[in-house]
Amino acid sequence: MSWQHSRRNFLKTSAAMAGAGVLAACGSVSTTQSGKPSGQAKPVPPKRTSGRGDTTLRVVAPSGFADNTERTQTGLTRLYNAGFTITNQEAAFRRYQRFAGSDAERIADFQDVATGRAPTPKVLMGLRGGYGAIRLLPHIDFDRLGGRMRERGTLFFGFSDVCAVQLALLAKGNMPSFAGPMIYSGFGKAVPSTYTMDAFIRGSTHSENTVSVYNIQRRSVNAEGTLWGGNLSVLASLVGSPYMPDIQDGILFLEDVGEQPYRIERMLQTLHLAGILSKQQAIVFGDFRMGNTRDVYDSSYDFSSVVNTVARVAKVPVLTGFPFGHISNKVTFPLGAHAKIRSESNGGYSVAFSGYPTLDAGSLTLDTLLPQISPDPIDILEDNVLE
């Protein structure tokens, strides 16, 4: 497939490939908002013979449905062309109400692996964020799921609402996962971010990976421990539940989107009152997509004010600017693995990760994920709202 196609031509080419049999039709059908079958079979990649390493990728869709079938198919096609054998593809096309399938269907994405009804894949990859993952947590055997994933060395990619499952997996299954792009909101872009795709390749295939942050920090921080966390709204919703990890002397990573400063602080205060923040060696903020967002009652109260308040009340070092969140350009990094934070002479800091499962790059063609053309401005705008 030529990467010189325009966005429209790329999608036409993808559809043509599907019709020509590169993407074989699946016998499963999607559901409408009412939960009734739509009657339309979805084209999906066929199974391929295993190479030197395990390349199986199982689609999991615990949250919102994907409202653009063409974009979903683009994501699956791109991952197939990168060498993955994609399973459970029907999950990418399901819809029930606002969710990517009924609760039972979305539970089965994980529980079938936990019980052995489905083979344990090398990769679990979320479809997209939204809402709905928290409804599934009591019905998934995370202890067994984590055990099977450890045995296989499974990598689980997701963020936003999907991190509810990732947090529960860490809390009850003692299994790390990855913050990274997902099928719809990352790989499904007409022209994905070169930065994001390159970071995905490096972050998933190297046993050690260092992320450098050049934003000047207010203080020097040297910390070492388990880096964990995810979406702030999701973490706040899990406080007091058995699905919140209990990490002592860890490094807490947080990101969110679409929240006013006071709401961000309120959720952070919830984590503080629960004793979670004071247990950490440091707190690392990703991108909150704040822009010029100010408190509607006090325009001087901004994200910087929140950072200052949290550092003061929790008495924990706070770092900002980590390149991850609901943004086009983001790194891929493990959640629940070992990390070392070191301040740099330029005023920024670096985070070195180790102790996590990796992909066998020799069994895949991951370079095909790198686009050869720059994204159109309209693509960047859409990518910022469709995570």
Side-chain angles (χ1 to χ4, degrees), residues 315-326:
K315 296 180 175 57
V316 172
V318 175
L319 299 172
T320 60
F322 193 83
F324 191 88
H326 290 68

Side-chain angles (χ1 to χ4, degrees), residues 166 170 174-179 203 206-209 223-229 247 249-253 333-341 351-358:
Q166 296 176 307
L170 181 60
N174 193 30
M175 182 66 193
S177 57
F178 286 79
H206 292 74
S207 58
E208 295 183 351
N209 188 37
E224 183 173 352
T226 299
L227 189 144
W228 65 290
I247 307 295
D249 293 326
I251 300 167
L252 177 60
F253 167 77
F333 65 99
L335 296 167
H338 189 76
K340 293 181 181 179
I341 295 179
V351 186
F353 298 94
S354 61
Y356 50 86
T358 58

Side-chain angles (χ1 to χ4, degrees), residues 48-168:
R48 51 158 50 92
T49 303
S50 297
R52 286 186 294 165
D54 189 352
T55 63
T56 55
L57 183 155
R58 180 176 173 86
V59 179
V60 292
S63 305
F65 71 93
D67 58 353
N68 186 325
T69 300
E70 200 169 34
R71 180 167 177 165
T72 302
Q73 191 61 61
T74 295
L76 292 173
T77 302
R78 184 167 282 124
L79 288 163
Y80 174 78
N81 289 339
F84 290 102
T85 300
I86 304 176
T87 64
N88 200 39
Q89 305 97 334
E90 59 272 19
F93 301 97
R94 297 182 313 224
R95 180 180 181 183
Y96 178 76
Q97 297 175 350
R98 64 172 294 128
F99 311 111
S102 66
D103 284 3
E105 289 175 315
R106 293 180 293 126
I107 290 166
D109 289 349
F110 301 95
Q111 189 63 6
D112 281 359
V113 176
T115 60
R117 285 194 293 268
T120 307
K122 182 60 179 179
V123 172
L124 290 170
M125 183 171 286
L127 176 65
R128 63 160 300 175
Y131 167 70
I134 197 170
R135 295 165 56 139
L136 316 182
L137 303 186
H139 309 287
I140 299 172
D141 189 335
F142 287 104
D143 183 50
R144 294 176 67 185
L145 178 62
R148 291 182 183 275
M149 291 174 65
R150 277 192 300 278
E151 183 178 359
R152 181 57 61 91
T154 300
L155 292 76
F156 177 15
F157 297 97
F159 74 105
S160 192
D161 190 68
V162 177
C163 85
V165 181
Q166 296 176 307
L167 289 163

